[in-house]
Amino acid sequence: MGAVAYALWYFSIPMPWPAPQPGETAFLPTRGTLVQTGLLLLPESIGLWFGGGQMPLGLLDRLGVILIAAIMLLFSYALGEFLLVRLKLLHFFGRVDGIVLRLAIGLTLLSWSTAVLGMCGLLHRPLSIVLSLAILFVALGSAWKKQLFAPLSDVKPEETTPKHSEGESWWWQLAAAPLCLFIAGVSILPPYEYDVLEYHLLVPKEWHQIGQIRVLPNNIYSGMPMGAEMWALLPMVFLTGKQAWLTGALVGKLIIGLFTLMTAGLLYGAGKRLIGVWGGRAAALSAIAVPWLTYQSGTGLVDGVWAFFTLAAAYPFLIILNGQQKEDHRDGLAILSGLMAGMAFSVKYPALLIVVLPVFALWIFAVRTQWRLLLMYTVAVAVIISPWLIRNTIDTGNPVFPLAGNVFPTDVRPEDQIEQWNQAHQVPTHANGSRYSLSQLLSGILTPLGQSPWAGLAVVPLAICGLFYPNRKLVIPLVILLAACWIVWWGFSHRLERFLIPAIPLGCLLAGFGAQKIASYVAGRIALRVWLGLGLIVAFMLVNQTQSIKLDPRVFVSLDALAKSHTSGAVTYLNENVAPGDAVLATGDAALFYLQPPGFYHTCFNDSTMQQMVDMTKEERLAHLAEANIAWIYVHWGEIDRFRSPGNYGFPDDVTRDLFAQMESQGVLERADYQLGNPENPTVIIYRVLSVSGP
């Protein structure tokens, strides 16, 4: 009855929807309405996968990206297997979780190696990178051949858990197949989400162009750890041609997107090992049925990556708490947990509070005063994250740049920029000015419980049931980790819903506990099939509602056509008109991933590229632009106004329309034949620099 009540509440919640145009009636469809509409319009949704018949199709154009990604995954799998040999865990895990962890370990080592080599300035020396990776491969693999024909361990995880209905394992795989294929399909598509175009893939592109990983003066986000983005940077190093950066970015985006499927695989293996077959199935299906994870895969955002590593860091100590290991496995499990926690930290800073420290505390709970294991965990975390912290310390004087600017007096930013960053990322205020009101608390509690449109139908009721699972040694640590995620999100962040994504795999595993409890009854197993199947159907319908979720579903359209459709008109104009050797200065728009000519730009937290010319004379301005070969200036007043709006990030006050009017009157600039909006006050303007281009 509780699940039925939850479903009725879930379907009655309004969905986010585009604001009505003037004269239109506001329409806020509920999730139930969207699911019904999705069922009725399924043929139209399928047609949209093919571009609605208005775009060129393409499947063969994906083969190169898939091949490069496959090579990286195979290499990562080998590295993961080699390290498991070193950790004496080669035959410790089951089939599914073993495969997933091999990939996760290998991708961690690949990311770490790329970061270190890139920080050493070797991105323009692919031969040195090949040699370094070969040395790593041989060094880790030297002990592997000795294990090749070694007898398998007597401990088989599959035999330590009860089995229910093993003969019908095909049904859940078949039910999950449509969403799994959809997730893989959208993962390979060209990026379009703002944060991805502004820094997740733009910064690796710029590092590739300059040949080194460093903090860029024009993009503050380049100071953050970017462990996941290394999977896009590495293929850029080895590819040739003008579009090498785009192909490399698609490879990285595909690998990032596949972490949703890896999360489901690890949940299945972990659930099966810790609680039983039904627990594993339900945990995996619950994850596949969470629209937020599908959205992460389709956009290229990295929150789903550190969500996976959150679960992977917790899994080893859960095994120890469950008593499913021998004494000689404990060292390896501690190191493995530390590597996974360190990788989560190298993807996003908040993982320090959500993963690294809570998992360390739970290791203390699991092993008490076995300092050797705790030291191994700590060293493993430090090894993975240290390149990013050292890089930041050298470049900015602040190891966790751009955070904690007030803590480190050596931070390179002036006080006003530090304060601007802090204000933009503080806990949001209520209408009455408070940050921690009762209404905000209630909203914060309801958000992960289903109020969020993309939390998924299947997880919450099963997770609540999982709270009553009899094995408290496993339930309590999961609850502690979930609580840590929520406290950090609600108490210290700016409460964006997607920052709760790291909690999703933990919630899915807890849902597996609830499913295992229910599956002890015949009626319970029938109810589970219905509930999980309904969750998958609902998720499939919602992720295809493009007006609401803003997910590009055109999985069969040509990659080139999709990239062009995601390129703004201004950037397209610049790509077509800027002469070789000339550069573009952009202000306002920082999402310039698709810009092909050399560009100078800034995020709203960096010094404006235009501020340097505010107090210059005409001659000084001409000389300044000529020195950098700047022949075009692109101004996006719409973005500038957005940043200056109340409660937004802010933008330098001295960048004004009058400044550009003055430069026009001086004969420094003239308007090109591209602008958008009101001719008197255009939203977008492109100027030619007369000293370079001529009148």
Side-chain angles (χ1 to χ4, degrees), residues 168-216:
E168 53 175 309
S169 61
W170 57 268
W171 70 265
W172 68 275
Q173 299 175 42
L174 185 63
L179 263 174
C180 290
L181 292 173
F182 183 79
I183 289 169
V186 296
S187 296
I188 203 173
L189 302 184
Y192 58 91
E193 202 276 341
Y194 184 85
D195 285 358
V196 178
L197 299 180
E198 186 191 27
Y199 65 95
H200 283 304
L201 291 179
L202 176 60
V203 169
K205 172 188 172 183
E206 292 186 271
W207 284 339
H208 165 59
Q209 290 172 337
I210 66 175
Q212 185 177 14
I213 295 176
R214 62 181 181 86
V215 179
L216 303 172

Side-chain angles (χ1 to χ4, degrees), residues 157-460:
E158 301 93 302
E159 297 175 356
T160 63
T161 55
K163 299 184 179 182
H164 298 284
S165 305
E166 280 283 8
E168 53 175 309
S169 61
W170 57 268
W171 70 265
W172 68 275
Q173 299 175 42
L174 185 63
L179 263 174
C180 290
L181 292 173
F182 183 79
I183 289 169
V186 296
S187 296
I188 203 173
L189 302 184
Y192 58 91
E193 202 276 341
Y194 184 85
D195 285 358
V196 178
L197 299 180
E198 186 191 27
Y199 65 95
H200 283 304
L201 291 179
L202 176 60
V203 169
K205 172 188 172 183
E206 292 186 271
W207 284 339
H208 165 59
Q209 290 172 337
I210 66 175
Q212 185 177 14
I213 295 176
R214 62 181 181 86
V215 179
L216 303 172
N218 57 302
N219 195 322
I220 194 171
Y221 300 104
S222 63
M224 293 183 171
M226 289 194 169
E229 291 83 352
M230 295 300 96
W231 304 318
L233 178 60
L234 182 60
M236 292 181 190
V237 174
F238 296 100
L239 295 171
T240 59
K242 293 182 178 180
Q243 298 292 308
W245 54 272
L246 179 57
T247 303
L250 293 180
V251 172
K253 183 175 177 292
L254 174 58
I255 292 175
I256 289 170
L258 292 178
F259 267 87
T260 295
L261 303 183
M262 290 175 60
T263 298
L266 185 58
L267 282 167
Y268 174 73
K272 185 178 178 182
R273 181 191 190 101
L274 297 173
I275 44 182
V277 171
W278 271 98
R281 290 175 185 170
L285 289 177
S286 296
I288 295 296
V290 175
W292 256 126
L293 292 179
T294 303
Y295 179 79
Q296 296 294 292
S297 294
T299 57
L301 293 165
V302 300
D303 302 272
V305 177
W306 68 292
F308 168 87
F309 284 104
T310 300
L311 174 67
Y315 185 28
F317 77 75
L318 290 175
I319 292 175
I320 286 182
L321 287 174
N322 210 35
Q324 294 182 341
Q325 86 293 324
K326 295 181 179 179
E327 191 65 30
D328 60 348
H329 291 143
R330 295 167 74 87
D331 290 357
L333 289 172
I335 294 172
L336 176 60
S337 180
L339 292 174
M340 299 294 97
M343 186 59 190
F345 194 1
S346 75
V347 174
K348 282 276 191 175
Y349 276 136
L352 174 64
L353 300 178
I354 290 176
V355 186
V356 176
L357 295 181
V359 168
F360 180 72
L362 290 170
W363 267 102
I364 296 176
F365 173 75
V367 302
R368 302 298 190 270
T369 57
Q370 297 184 36
W371 305 113
R372 184 165 178 266
L373 296 179
L374 300 178
L375 180 62
M376 287 179 172
Y377 171 86
T378 304
V379 170
V381 171
V383 167
I384 298 300
I385 189 58
S386 58
W388 297 102
L389 303 183
I390 293 171
R391 185 277 311 256
N392 279 357
T393 303
I394 294 172
D395 286 358
T396 72
N398 177 355
V400 292
F401 182 89
L403 307 182
N406 295 324
V407 177
F408 297 95
T410 52
D411 193 301
V412 296
R413 292 169 294 173
E415 291 185 8
D416 60 333
Q417 287 187 351
I418 293 174
E419 183 61 25
Q420 181 191 7
W421 175 272
N422 292 340
Q423 288 184 359
H425 294 84
Q426 63 186 343
V427 177
T429 58
H430 193 264
N432 60 10
S434 66
R435 302 185 189 278
Y436 302 100
S437 66
L438 184 61
S439 61
Q440 288 172 303
L441 177 63
L442 180 61
S443 177
I445 292 172
L446 290 177
T447 295
L449 295 182
Q451 182 173 276
S452 169
W454 310 114
L457 174 66
V459 179
V460 174

